[in-house]
Amino acid sequence: MSVSTETLTGGYGAGLLDRERIIAKPGFNRWLVPPAALAIHLCIGMAYGFSVFWLPLTKSIGITAPVACPDMTLATALFTTSCDWRVSDLGWMYTLFFVLLGSSAAIWGGWLERAGPRKAGFVAACCWCGGIVLAAIGVIFHQLWLMWIGAGVIGGIGLGLGYISPVSTLIKWFPDRRGMATGMAIMGFGGGAMIGAPLANMLMNTFKSDTSVGVWQTFIVIAAIYFVFMMGGAFGYRIPPAGWRPEGWQPKVTGNAMITHGHVHLRDAHKTPQFWLIWAVLTLNVSAGIGVIGMASPMLQEIFAGSLIGVPELKFADLSKEQLAAVAAIAAGFTGLLSLFNIGGRFFWASLSDKIGRKNTYYVFFLLGILLYASAPWAAGIGSKVYFVAAFCVILSMYGGGFSTIPAYLADIFGTQFVGAIHGRLLTAWATAGIIGPVVVNYIREAQIAAGIPRAQVYDFTMYILAGMLALGLIANALVRPLSDKWFMSDDEVAALQAKTQASNAGPTGSFGIGKGGFDGKALAAWAVIGLPILWGVWITLQKTFVLFS
């Protein structure tokens, strides 16, 4: 990644983090921007993999076995120094991640558009990595409330700012391939756990001792690693000057009616029905997928039980301790495989949306998703591991694809001027889904178990509920229409906004010698820095996945 600070003429009076400081100069290669975005997204994507710490933290006092306090409440757990935490106490941090992600993206999305992606990336690195360090202190002193505030709240704010920091920037750099551009960056968030979880396991095994489970030391190390990568990403960001467009590319004047050529102001976007329809589209798609992510491992174990290790006559309750450990290891491969499809789907579906359109892509998500969710109980009933695993791999690819396609969908409907801030507000849908999805899956499962339903069948009703959610999303997507002209800013308003940047003096439109180069040496080096950790994560995942089908 490029970390130089070249600017257009007149930019040297700006601060190192200011938007004016990062306007690209002639000769800059636009293919350096996606690795910068990936550097940040791969780090904050570890939020998906934080469950790797839950079981070790339940033994942070007992070391070899949990020190359990049967009468402990959640309020007691926040301050106790003599009882080990339960997984349910720690799991609230997962909820805090995504509630704060959506909320902070909505609150500070407008600020990001004014401040620029470098400043937002810098603050995101400080919050996410600083929050993890504070969580480490919470582990040292055994204070759960400090972990919640550190990683959950402060870290969650870093997640929100880091997540949206590259969106509008990449859309501006790749107006010819909006879906592909956002897909490249946002796939990093889905892949963060694929790299971070095995790295965290390695570090915990290195640091654990007779007096420590190795979690707080791991927190410190990964915070330091992530801080370096995120700073590299933040300082690698550049924005194009006003009027820039790729060499030889001209925007289509006619064509897809769902792609606007105007711009809607941030203050007006949420007043339109289209905003709330797309909000519902994202909420329902994510609610269905995120519930499955949180229960993927126990779901596979409880449904297929002994058949995973060659003894199909054994139900989950009949497995021995050793057999449960073997089944859990296989389920870990399933979880890794889902993560891999979550990543690939973010790039594949977003790129496909450039060809078939954003609305049609979501039609595919909902129609195919309904079919797969509704048929999952059938696959479980006949014991078809292959169909069951394949179905959920496709479902998770569409879950990831929903995230990477939505920024381009918003740009198509509302224009690019405020797309980052509008996307930030839309991410309140993620915060909502982060509550709805796990609640639906977890509580229905508990109710089914309490009613005496066999473990292999407790997810059947849940699958039909999730299919129903997607049916509602299908209706919402069908109702999305192009905006009427009254919502768009005038040319004078757009020009006035652009005039606030140093680059507005460029006047004419064109490439200005910027964006050329393709995958030259500098770009290849930047992609290698990002690509090698991804390849390592893929390799580890494939090794675990092999056990699932062996």
Side-chain angles (χ1 to χ4, degrees):
M1 278 161 289
S2 171
V3 295
S4 58
T5 57
E6 66 266 30
T7 60
L8 291 179
T9 303
Y12 290 101
L16 186 63
L17 301 178
D18 289 346
R19 184 184 183 91
E20 292 80 8
R21 186 85 175 190
I22 60 173
I23 298 170
K25 292 178 65 176
F28 179 76
N29 186 349
R30 66 173 176 167
W31 287 98
L32 290 169
V33 182
L38 276 166
I40 290 178
H41 271 231
L42 286 170
C43 294
I44 63 176
M46 180 53 186
Y48 274 136
F50 246 69
S51 59
V52 73
F53 299 116
W54 294 167
L55 289 179
L57 284 172
T58 61
K59 299 182 290 184
S60 58
I61 293 178
I63 308 299
T64 57
V67 176
C69 297
D71 298 329
M72 185 171 67
T73 64
L74 179 60
T76 306
L78 287 172
F79 302 100
T80 183
T81 57
S82 58
C83 302
D84 268 319
W85 302 308
R86 301 159 299 194
V87 171
S88 58
D89 303 323
L90 297 161
W92 278 99
M93 195 180 303
Y94 188 77
T95 299
L96 285 172
F97 280 154
F98 298 111
V99 170
L100 268 296
L101 187 157
S103 302
S104 60
I107 293 170
W108 287 295
W111 168 81
L112 185 151
E113 290 291 341
R114 298 188 300 272
R118 176 181 287 183
K119 186 175 290 186
F122 178 88
V123 175
C126 292
C127 289
W128 177 234
C129 301
I132 293 175
V133 170
L134 193 57
I137 297 173
V139 175
I140 293 171
F141 292 100
H142 202 74
Q143 292 294 303
L144 183 59
W145 67 271
L146 197 55
M147 289 182 62
W148 279 17
I149 291 176
V153 177
I154 298 174
I157 292 171
L159 291 179
L161 292 175
Y163 189 86
I164 62 174
S165 66
V167 172
S168 64
T169 303
L170 282 168
I171 287 176
K172 291 182 176 73
W173 273 118
F174 293 88
D176 49 335
R177 284 175 278 187
R178 290 175 177 175
M180 181 208 71
T182 55
M184 280 190 294
I186 292 176
M187 78 176 193
F189 192 84
M194 184 182 67
I195 300 170
L199 174 62
N201 266 324
M202 290 172 55
L203 291 171
M204 285 189 289
N205 288 330
T206 299
F207 291 121
K208 69 181 180 181
S209 65
D210 294 338
T211 58
S212 172
V213 292
V215 172
W216 73 262
Q217 299 95 327
T218 300
F219 277 172
I220 297 294
V221 172
I222 64 172
I225 294 172
Y226 286 169
F227 189 76
V228 171
F229 267 80
M230 292 179 74
M231 282 299 174
F235 281 87
Y237 279 143
R238 295 292 184 275
I239 58 175
W244 178 87
R245 62 180 56 161
E247 182 74 25
W249 178 79
Q250 293 290 333
K252 293 181 180 179
V253 178
T254 61
N256 193 339
M258 292 300 296
I259 301 180
T260 183
H261 300 289
H263 301 277
V264 177
H265 199 285
L266 175 62
R267 65 171 179 263
D268 296 324
H270 68 281
K271 299 175 184 177
T272 66
Q274 284 83 347
F275 177 88
W276 294 107
L277 286 169
I278 297 176
W279 187 94
V281 163
L282 185 63
T283 299
L284 293 162
N285 187 58
V286 173
S287 293
I290 204 170
V292 169
I293 288 176
M295 292 300 291
S297 177
M299 180 174 65
L300 188 78
Q301 295 178 60
E302 291 175 337
I303 289 175
F304 292 100
S307 64
L308 294 173
I309 52 175
V311 282
E313 67 275 8
L314 293 182
K315 304 299 182 184
F316 184 78
D318 302 325
L319 297 174
S320 67
K321 183 178 179 181
E322 292 74 19
Q323 289 171 326
L324 285 171
V327 166
I330 293 172
F334 175 57
T335 304
L337 189 62
L338 293 182
S339 177
L340 191 58
F341 273 82
N342 184 3
I343 301 165
R346 291 171 188 247
F347 182 75
F348 171 79
W349 291 109
S351 298
L352 182 64
S353 75
D354 286 332
K355 305 294 184 183
I356 68 173
R358 260 54 87 168
K359 188 172 182 176
N360 288 335
T361 302
Y362 268 95
Y363 276 137
V364 174
F365 292 164
F366 291 127
L367 290 170
L368 184 55
I370 290 169
L371 174 64
L372 293 175
Y373 274 118
S375 62
W378 165 80
I382 65 170
S384 177
K385 288 188 297 182
V386 173
Y387 182 91
F388 188 88
V389 170
F392 280 97
C393 285
V394 175
I395 285 170
L396 263 294
S397 80
M398 296 188 295
Y399 166 82
F403 281 118
S404 58
T405 304
I406 210 72
Y409 202 167
L410 292 172
D412 290 350
I413 299 295
F414 298 99
T416 61
Q417 187 67 40
F418 288 97
V419 67
I422 295 171
H423 181 230
R425 290 187 176 180
L426 193 85
L427 287 181
T428 53
W430 195 355
T432 304
I435 298 172
I436 294 174
V439 165
V440 167
V441 173
N442 295 344
Y443 281 91
I444 290 179
R445 173 182 175 276
E446 288 182 9
Q448 296 280 287
I449 292 174
I453 303 297
R455 289 290 183 109
Q457 300 170 20
V458 296
Y459 297 96
D460 291 3
F461 185 62
T462 301
M463 294 300 119
Y464 298 133
I465 293 293
L466 297 181
M469 286 184 179
L470 295 187
L472 293 175
L474 179 67
I475 295 170
N477 188 55
L479 294 174
V480 176
R481 297 285 188 272
L483 287 167
S484 64
D485 292 341
K486 70 176 183 178
W487 294 110
F488 296 114
M489 294 186 293
S490 67
D491 292 341
D492 289 342
E493 287 179 294
V494 175
L497 286 170
Q498 293 177 341
K500 294 180 180 180
T501 67
Q502 297 276 349
S504 62
N505 295 325
T509 61
S511 68
F512 312 134
I514 299 172
K516 297 180 179 180
F519 283 98
D520 57 16
K522 202 172 186 180
L524 287 173
W527 279 95
V529 170
I530 298 303
L532 291 176
I534 293 175
L535 289 175
W536 178 78
V538 170
W539 171 246
I540 296 295
T541 299
L542 291 178
Q543 283 183 312
K544 292 181 179 179
T545 302
F546 178 76
V547 180
L548 179 60
F549 295 106
S550 61

